[in-house]
Every structure is written in C-alpha cells, then in structure tokens.
Amino acid sequence: MRVITGSARGRRLKTPENYDIRPTTDNVKEAVFNILQFDVEGRRVLDLFAGTGQMGIEALSRGAKSAVFIDRDRAAIGIVKENLKACGLSAAVLQTDAVEYLKRGGRFDLIFVDPPYDSGLYEPVLQTINLVDILSEGGIIIVEARRTATLPTMEKPYRKVKEYLYGKVKICTYTRESSV
C-alpha cells in the first residue's frame, strides 16, 4: 500500500499485522481519486473508520487543507499516526465512535465512509450526516461497501450521485446540493 501522488507520492504505508482492519486496495483508492479529480485541493477532509488512514493521507498529499481521522480501534489510531509521520503530514487523529463524532465534529468538504462491511453502520452514519448536516454545499461523501450491499438514500439537500463497481467493492458518491 502506497501514496499514489502528491507531496507524499510513493511513500509506503504501514498496514496492520492482523486483518481486523481491511485496507482499501490501491486500485480502488486510485479509482476513488480519479472520481474526485480536482475536488481535493483546499478541502477539509473527514476519514471515518480510518483504519490505516490511507484515504485521508492521499487527500492531504494531494493538497487537502486539513484532515481528521476517526477510528475506535487503538491499533488503527497508532497506524494512522505512524503513517502520517512517515509521510511528513499532520492532522487530527481521534480514537472515538464515528456516529458520536459526527454529532459534534464540525463541517467538512469531503467525507470518506468505510466501516467494516457487515457492521450495519452505513445507515446510522449517513442518517447522522443528514441530520447534523456537516457536509458543506457541493461537498462529497465517498462510501465504500461490499459490491452486494444496498446503501441507503439520503434526504434533501443530500442525494446519491452515482455507484461504481470495482470487483467485490462498491463505491457510492453522495453530494450536498446548494440551498438556493
């Protein structure tokens, strides 16, 4: 696993020794950042269920203004901190529950949502984002799930934009439309 491009290009990222953490494959990560293209630079990023932190780190490497990494697992938090240091990047890294953080966490332009596939967390996370309304206008939510998963719709001003399939993985994008 490596950083694809930007200031930390080519840096290898530490991965877990056990498989409680399921890192996004390089191919899927590259596809996600192809989807985002020019929507990363200057953005405030939230990496929920951060695992190794690779999605947020890739965003920072590509010029994101700031990032917050959230995970409940102590080992994951340690890996995120090591990976940030190895890449010469800094960010807030918090060991906390994702849904609880969403209720008080501030506003973001880009949110990565990648909980454990069978955790049942997709709906409560997206509902909380909808309820608390933490995504900026024109912001983007990227959700990674098992290919066969049915992801929830969101209420206005949020809407599902598109689903992409990459092998066993589904990527779904949501946006927050302008209120005008």
Side-chain angles (χ1 to χ4, degrees):
M1 194 169 54
R2 63 184 172 73
V3 178
I4 298 168
T5 195
S7 65
R9 180 182 180 177
R11 299 274 170 85
R12 293 239 176 251
L13 300 176
K14 181 178 180 178
T15 57
E17 293 181 18
N18 63 32
Y19 287 93
D20 290 341
I21 300 171
R22 174 197 35 79
T24 300
T25 65
D26 281 346
N27 290 341
V28 171
K29 179 172 60 173
E30 190 166 1
V32 165
F33 282 93
N34 284 338
I35 292 165
L36 292 172
Q37 291 190 20
F38 305 109
D39 288 321
V40 177
E41 192 169 341
R43 299 281 186 134
R44 293 165 302 201
V45 176
L46 176 59
D47 191 345
L48 290 174
F49 311 98
T52 62
Q54 70 168 323
M55 298 304 281
I57 288 170
E58 186 72 38
L60 286 169
S61 180
R62 292 172 183 240
K65 179 180 181 178
S66 63
V68 175
F69 296 84
I70 303 296
D71 207 296
R72 282 188 352 183
D73 185 80
R74 179 180 297 160
I77 292 300
I79 290 171
V80 171
K81 288 178 179 179
E82 287 180 46
N83 285 336
L84 283 164
K85 185 176 181 182
C87 293
L89 300 169
S90 62
V93 182
L94 305 171
Q95 183 181 352
T96 188
D97 178 78
V99 174
E100 289 305 311
Y101 179 79
L102 290 170
K103 294 176 183 176
R104 58 175 169 72
R107 230 158 161 67
F108 296 92
D109 306 304
L110 178 58
I111 301 173
F112 294 106
V113 178
D114 183 13
Y117 282 171
D118 298 321
S119 65
L121 288 168
Y122 294 103
E123 192 160 331
V125 165
L126 293 175
Q127 284 178 346
T128 304
I129 290 170
N130 220 143
L131 179 68
V132 179
D133 196 21
I134 66 165
L135 190 67
S136 62
E137 285 187 12
I140 300 168
I141 302 168
I142 299 284
V143 178
E144 180 180 335
R146 188 182 312 280
R147 180 186 187 110
T148 56
T150 303
L151 295 173
T153 56
M154 294 180 79
E155 295 178 28
K156 287 186 178 190
Y158 294 86
R159 72 175 175 86
K160 187 184 287 187
V161 178
K162 192 167 182 180
E163 288 186 356
Y164 304 84
L165 302 175
Y166 301 101
K168 296 178 180 180
V169 175
K170 176 188 296 188
I171 298 296
C172 186
T173 59
Y174 297 83
T175 191
R176 184 184 188 286
E177 297 177 331
S178 111
S179 55
V180 184

